[in-house]
Amino acid sequence: MEWKHRHVLDLDTWERPDLQHILEQARSMDELLDRPIKKVPALRGKLVVNLFFEASTRTRVSFELAEKFLSADVVNWSASGSSTGKGETLRDTAWTLEAMGADAVVIRHGAVGAADYLARKLKKSVVFNGGDGAHSHPTQALLDLYTAWKKIGPLEGKKVAMIGDVLHSRVARSDIIAFSKMGSSVVLSGPATLMPRSVEALGATYDENPRSAVRDADIIYLLRIQKERQDEGMFPSLDEYHQLFGFDAALLKHARPDALVMHPGPINRGVEIASDVADGSQSMILGQVRSGVAIRMALLFVYLGGVRQ
Amino acid sequence: MKILFRNGLLFDGTTLSCEKTDILTEDGIISRIGKGIDDEGANEVYNLSGLILSPGFIDLHCHLRDPGQEWREDLLSGSRAGAAGGFSTLVCMPNTDPPVDNAALIRYLLEKGEECEGSRILPSGCLSRERAGKTLAEMGKMAIAGAVIFTDDGSPVSDTNLLRLALLYSSRLGVRVMEHPEDRSLTSGAQVNDGICSTFSGLKGWPSSAEASDIFRGVSLSMDTGVPIHFTHVSAKESINAVRIAKASDCKVTCDVTPHHLCLDESMVIGSGYDGVFKVTPPLRSASDTDALWEGIRDGTVDAIATDHAPYHLDEKDLPFQESSFGIASLECAVAAVLDEWKRRKEPCPLERLLSLFTSGPARLLPEKWRTLGLIAAGSPADLTVIDPAFEQTVDVSKWKSKARLTPWNGRTLRGWPVMTVVRGKIAYSLIDRVSGGK
Ligand SMILES: [Zn+2]
């Protein structure tokens, strides 16, 4: 297919065929992961820089494995700890990377708009957004789609119940957009203080009652609750949160019997999710990790593998 | 020095005439207004056929960063930029370093302003000492020295008692209090409009209620004291409604709106890929808020259009959105941007109403001695702005006289531009060739 996106910044302008194409590419990559020798020479001679301003071992390792399985040259440019104002600006870093001949840059940054900014400054390199502030985490959303699609098939008409801190979550933003574009209906639940103002604009609805939100859901997606949100007064206590919105076996009963339980990790046991469901048979949490490598391989291949027309 | 302006379409501050009029200025004063004025004795003559001859435009709110932040702007660059943007008068904000909270700094600005070749500089002074929001600044001394507005702009006056005292204390000084309406407890950490933009970006939302609630507070203080209050850069529908209701109950409240809130909305923040050039406080609002500001212009709720020109060095602005500084630089294209938007919206109000918001509107908010800046009358200062409603020009920020090198309008072709600015009877900016002169 004709691939019209120059970078992977967010999924706002992606359409269903784009998402579908990446899912199918990921399936081929997934098969590769089962082989005894996983490495293929698809990206030999390509230079990929992982530019991480925030420590995120999971995302970085996942990208790095994907890059290495495809035989790319990999540079980990760890910028964590150094903020802008100290040392090099992101603009200078961008130009340095391009001068070094980076074919792609994976960026993880605490500031909203950092990946877009980098994309504006780079003339040739492809930018993969590994998460920018609370804005977007497109590869996470794609790997979540892939995990669900692989397990239950087409996502059209499926119900996704997402519970937790949507307001501060880049994962939630990207996942809501991605699942709705695939034709799923997304219902959000959690304290009203942790919801963005215009959830309908994202393609979701809000139901403050987690039981009705979860009713007949095909997928339950839990979001991480951070202690600092309690400190900011967004909700009274983690304990109360768990009592009102914590996901456990009792709540799971309201969903469809074969519903998938997903979480972007790392999980807070006893806060947003109880151990019985986190470790239960319906949990996809480890499957998501494996999907992450496959989906990132698919993206790297589509953008750098020479199949772009 | 005598200058004759011929055949202009006269806007006198209130009414736009469709008859050709001549104006003669003599040593900085308008000496004659009429038809067929003899060019005998005029040093310079300009033909303004098809152009609007207006009282000089007044920008009630701009940041010239002088003293102390001259890498962003200074009085000279700001004054030249103002003239190039069609403004004959700039009221500069006191949130400088140090803040303008005393008579000596007011005098510094006036004296340095005299040396500038562009717009006339009128300084505003802080409402509170050190702009700290704790105790009153020496408003009396500053009023005598020439301060034209008292404001802690950049910050609201969060202490309600202090704002009440400021209203009472300034009431006899003839200088108006301007409040930057913002409830800080609602905006801490906020970056964009609380709505579509905060929802999609994940950035903290700046709700309209943060502005409207401060306006309601100020209105009740103004009602209580009987002293006028001015709200600057009003950006949201709720806030305009609050001002409209207050005006209907005879409260002496006034407000201004900015060109960026009239012309741009939050969708551009998202559409640009979170370009910091669109980052400003109060934030760019929804399209319906923008519509509400135009409705406020149409029905008379809005008293002035003020730029809130907030220049920064490129290094402070050209950053990922969340790290970029708050502020839009617009002085040199603000008038054109508003005229262009007015046309694009199919002229939602008469042109003379729009022009009055740059002239008599803001002039009425200044101390008594400056009110004549907003009209054209024999004996008034020869501060004039000439508008060509049909002229099209592309904004090129790299050529600006301002030190700012980023503006949301860069590269945009706008229709309707100021083509000449006259300050104290001197041509401070002109795209018009003179017909004759040199006598
Ligand atoms: Zn302000």
Side-chain angles (χ1 to χ4, degrees):
Chain A
M1 72 178 288
E2 194 194 336
W3 195 254
K4 60 180 188 293
H5 307 283
R6 206 170 97 63
H7 306 281
V8 184
L9 303 176
D10 57 36
L11 301 176
D12 296 10
T13 59
W14 284 42
E15 283 152 31
R16 198 187 296 190
D18 303 333
L19 297 166
Q20 192 64 44
H21 181 63
I22 298 297
L23 297 185
E24 274 150 23
Q25 292 286 322
R27 181 149 55 190
S28 333
M29 296 299 168
D30 212 346
E31 286 160 14
L32 216 64
L33 292 178
D34 284 330
R35 293 189 197 165
I37 294 167
K38 299 174 174 63
K39 227 171 164 77
V40 291
L43 299 190
R44 186 178 288 155
K46 299 280 185 185
L47 174 60
V48 182
V49 178
N50 298 318
L51 179 61
F52 276 60
F53 289 85
E54 275 185 345
S56 169
T57 311
R58 285 164 169 268
T59 305
R60 189 184 53 73
V61 168
S62 178
F63 264 110
E64 197 175 336
L65 282 175
E67 290 150 7
K68 287 183 170 161
F69 289 158
L70 294 175
S71 308
D73 294 323
V74 180
V75 172
N76 287 314
W77 187 294
S78 175
S80 61
S82 83
S83 61
T84 57
K86 256 188 245 164
E88 205 170 52
T89 66
L90 185 52
R91 184 175 35 173
D92 290 323
T93 306
W95 290 334
T96 305
L97 295 176
E98 196 143 66
M100 286 172 177
D103 296 287
V105 181
V106 176
I107 180 175
R108 166 74 153 239
H109 200 290
V112 168
D116 287 274
Y117 179 85
L118 189 67
R120 282 197 292 277
K121 297 297 167 194
L122 292 175
K123 284 172 199 72
K124 294 198 232 34
S125 324
V126 176
V127 175
F128 293 95
N129 186 2
D132 65 320
H135 170 224
S136 183
H137 197 353
T139 60
Q140 175 75 41
L142 287 164
L143 78 85
D144 289 335
L145 281 189
Y146 178 65
T147 307
W149 175 72
K150 191 170 126 180
K151 189 84 184 170
I152 60 178
L155 299 170
E156 170 110 56
K158 302 291 186 205
K159 177 177 177 182
V160 181
M162 185 179 270
I163 309 173
D165 181 359
V166 179
L167 186 64
H168 300 95
S169 173
R170 52 186 165 214
V171 173
R173 268 178 195 82
S174 292
D175 275 70
I176 294 167
I177 291 169
F179 275 103
S180 358
K181 289 199 177 191
M182 292 307 287
S184 307
S185 66
V186 183
V187 181
L188 309 176
S189 194
T193 47
L194 294 179
M195 292 298 133
R197 191 180 190 99
S198 317
V199 294
E200 311 75 31
L202 286 172
T205 54
Y206 172 56
D207 184 343
E208 71 285 357
N209 180 351
R211 268 165 300 279
S212 49
V214 163
R215 189 167 302 135
D216 299 327
D218 301 280
I219 298 161
I220 296 109
Y221 200 106
L222 289 326
L223 296 166
R224 198 172 150 75
I225 296 294
Q226 285 168 300
K227 171 85 166 60
E228 62 183 280
R229 303 304 168 202
Q230 177 193 324
D231 302 340
E232 289 164 11
M234 308 295 287
F235 57 89
S237 70
L238 289 176
D239 206 42
E240 176 163 316
Y241 180 88
H242 186 64
Q243 197 181 323
L244 268 56
F245 300 102
F247 191 71
D248 54 17
L251 203 45
L252 179 58
K253 286 207 182 74
H254 295 270
R256 292 177 64 93
D258 51 353
L260 310 179
V261 176
M262 299 174 70
H263 189 300
I267 62 174
N268 290 319
R269 291 170 186 269
V271 184
E272 71 268 6
I273 190 165
S275 285
D276 53 359
V277 281
D279 305 331
S281 60
Q282 286 163 268
S283 169
M284 298 304 295
I285 297 172
L286 291 175
Q288 285 171 275
V289 176
R290 178 185 164 120
S291 298
V293 180
I295 209 85
R296 287 169 179 125
M297 287 171 77
L299 286 166
L300 287 160
F301 184 69
V302 166
Y303 279 84
L304 301 179
V307 293
R308 293 174 73 192
Q309 275 116 38
Chain B
M1 178 75 173
K2 288 186 186 182
I3 308 178
L4 180 62
F5 301 93
R6 304 193 98 153
N7 303 323
L9 302 170
L10 185 69
F11 171 68
D12 63 4
T14 321
T15 314
L16 179 60
S17 155
C18 43
E19 283 176 44
K20 292 181 172 181
T21 308
D22 298 349
I23 284 186
L24 184 70
T25 71
E26 227 169 308
D27 301 328
I29 301 291
I30 295 172
S31 58
R32 284 183 67 193
I33 305 167
K35 289 186 180 46
I37 297 177
D38 192 3
D39 64 3
E40 201 77 11
N43 303 78
E44 293 176 12
V45 179
Y46 293 89
N47 183 9
L48 306 183
S49 266
L51 309 179
I52 297 166
L53 179 55
S54 161
F57 282 17
I58 300 165
D59 184 7
L60 205 57
H61 184 146
C62 63
H63 296 272
L64 300 185
R65 312 299 196 195
D66 192 343
Q69 298 160 341
E70 289 86 354
W71 68 89
R72 295 173 178 168
E73 197 79 285
D74 61 40
L75 236 46
L76 269 78
S77 64
S79 166
R80 277 197 212 107
F87 294 102
S88 63
T89 297
L90 301 177
V91 177
C92 56
M93 290 297 110
N95 61 333
T96 48
D97 186 18
V100 182
D101 69 345
N102 60 73
L105 283 176
I106 294 288
R107 282 192 291 271
Y108 157 79
L109 290 167
L110 285 168
E111 277 168 30
K112 191 168 173 188
E114 290 287 328
E115 295 161 19
C116 295
E117 288 164 357
S119 317
R120 186 192 289 273
I121 306 291
L122 297 181
S124 61
C126 292
L127 181 149
S128 70
R129 198 181 294 268
E130 291 172 2
R131 213 173 65 86
K134 298 272 191 283
T135 54
L136 292 180
E138 290 183 332
M139 295 200 252
K141 288 185 187 172
M142 286 194 283
I144 293 166
V148 298
I149 275 171
F150 294 126
T151 180
D152 277 358
D153 182 63
S155 312
V157 182
S158 296
D159 182 330
T160 308
N161 183 48
L162 181 69
L163 184 55
R164 184 173 183 276
L165 293 174
L167 289 172
L168 285 172
Y169 193 84
S170 66
S171 64
R172 302 277 181 269
L173 302 174
V175 178
R176 194 170 295 243
V177 167
M178 174 196 272
E179 167 73 346
H180 155 125
E182 175 182 355
D183 180 336
R184 282 273 162 97
S185 70
L186 293 172
T187 61
S188 146
Q191 295 244 337
V192 291
N193 187 40
D194 191 34
I196 299 292
C197 200
S198 61
T199 299
F200 274 89
S201 67
L203 291 163
K204 187 166 175 204
W206 207 112
S208 298
S209 58
E211 184 172 274
S213 62
D214 194 24
I215 292 178
F216 281 119
R217 181 187 66 134
V219 164
S220 55
L221 291 177
S222 171
M223 300 269 234
D224 171 23
T225 57
V227 181
I229 188 165
H230 180 80
F231 296 102
T232 192
H233 49 58
V234 170
S235 63
K237 189 181 199 167
E238 288 88 334
S239 326
I240 280 286
N241 287 343
V243 173
R244 184 179 290 120
I245 293 164
K247 285 191 169 191
S249 21
D250 287 329
C251 177
K252 295 174 189 163
V253 57
T254 52
C255 73
D256 67 67
V257 299
T258 72
H260 46 271
H261 291 113
L262 287 170
C263 304
L264 312 171
D265 66 56
E266 62 179 335
S267 70
M268 294 163 196
V269 177
I270 301 171
S272 68
Y274 304 99
D275 191 334
V277 76
F278 292 100
K279 185 170 172 180
V280 66
T281 45
L284 297 180
R285 299 288 189 188
S286 70
S288 75
D289 287 306
T290 304
D291 292 344
L293 300 189
W294 280 99
E295 176 55 22
I297 285 181
R298 199 196 57 75
D299 75 1
T301 304
V302 173
D303 299 275
I305 296 173
T307 66
D308 195 8
H309 170 70
Y312 281 96
H313 191 274
L314 196 66
D315 291 349
E316 299 169 297
K317 200 65 187 156
D318 184 20
L319 294 167
F321 191 92
Q322 200 170 343
E323 294 175 344
S324 182
S325 301
F326 289 97
I328 285 179
S330 64
L331 206 46
E332 280 167 273
C333 67
V335 171
V338 171
L339 288 172
D340 184 81
E341 181 69 12
W342 172 79
K343 265 271 177 230
R344 223 183 47 75
R345 287 177 177 262
K346 314 235 180 305
E347 311 185 2
C349 64
L351 181 56
E352 57 192 22
R353 159 137 287 276
L354 201 60
L355 296 175
S356 73
L357 298 181
F358 286 109
T359 53
S360 53
R364 268 195 287 274
L365 306 174
L366 295 176
E368 191 70 46
K369 75 178 274 204
W370 299 113
R371 305 257 162 101
T372 52
L373 289 179
L375 37 101
I376 286 186
S380 293
D383 282 22
L384 304 167
T385 295
V386 178
I387 300 291
D388 184 344
F391 185 57
E392 286 189 18
Q393 188 171 244
T394 303
V395 179
D396 181 357
V397 74
S398 70
K399 299 204 171 108
W400 275 14
K401 293 171 175 64
S402 164
K403 293 182 187 178
R405 283 297 170 268
L406 283 175
T407 183
W409 289 277
N410 192 38
R412 288 262 302 270
T413 301
L414 303 174
R415 182 180 166 87
W417 283 84
V419 290
M420 180 187 264
T421 311
V422 181
V423 182
R424 300 184 190 91
K426 287 198 184 112
I427 311 287
Y429 170 77
S430 179
L431 294 179
I432 304 170
D433 294 330
R434 70 181 166 206
V435 179
S436 65
K439 265 181 250 176

